[in-house]
Amino acid sequence: MTILRPANVYGRGMKGGLAALITHIKSGAAPPLPLLHNRLPLISVQDVNAAAILAARGSHPSGETYVLTDSEDYTPTRIESAIY
């Protein structure tokens, strides 16, 4: 068994806090965020799918746990800027 633990997943069909933030910003219902410096790891749904395929094919040792991210840390301010 291989365990995949994705970080916050973004992309088509996403749910949760990030999706809600996008919806509120696009609708104009969210005021600008304060300057925040905390870091959030993200990964795209396409990258999660690719990792799942690799794990299913058995190309990595069984019994391992993998934390899936895109290797960058994002601040809420950076995410907000990307949405705008």
Side-chain angles (χ1 to χ4, degrees), residues 1-14:
M1 175 176 9
T2 300
I3 300 168
L4 303 178
R5 293 187 176 160
N8 298 300
V9 180
Y10 65 88
R12 187 179 188 109
M14 71 179 163

Side-chain angles (χ1 to χ4, degrees), residues 4-51:
L4 303 178
R5 293 187 176 160
N8 298 300
V9 180
Y10 65 88
R12 187 179 188 109
M14 71 179 163
K15 296 180 178 153
L18 188 55
L21 179 63
I22 292 169
T23 299
H24 284 91
I25 287 174
K26 284 185 172 183
S27 72
L33 294 174
L35 184 60
L36 301 170
H37 299 287
N38 56 314
R39 304 283 179 186
L40 304 166
L42 299 173
I43 188 166
S44 71
V45 69
Q46 293 90 348
D47 288 342
V48 173
N49 289 339

Side-chain angles (χ1 to χ4, degrees), residues 35-84:
L35 184 60
L36 301 170
H37 299 287
N38 56 314
R39 304 283 179 186
L40 304 166
L42 299 173
I43 188 166
S44 71
V45 69
Q46 293 90 348
D47 288 342
V48 173
N49 289 339
I53 290 168
L54 286 173
R57 289 185 178 154
S59 57
H60 297 293
S62 183
E64 296 293 322
T65 300
Y66 297 93
V67 177
L68 306 178
T69 75
D70 67 1
S71 299
E72 285 195 50
D73 285 328
Y74 300 88
T75 63
T77 302
R78 182 177 172 192
I79 294 169
E80 179 185 40
S81 293
I83 295 167
Y84 281 112

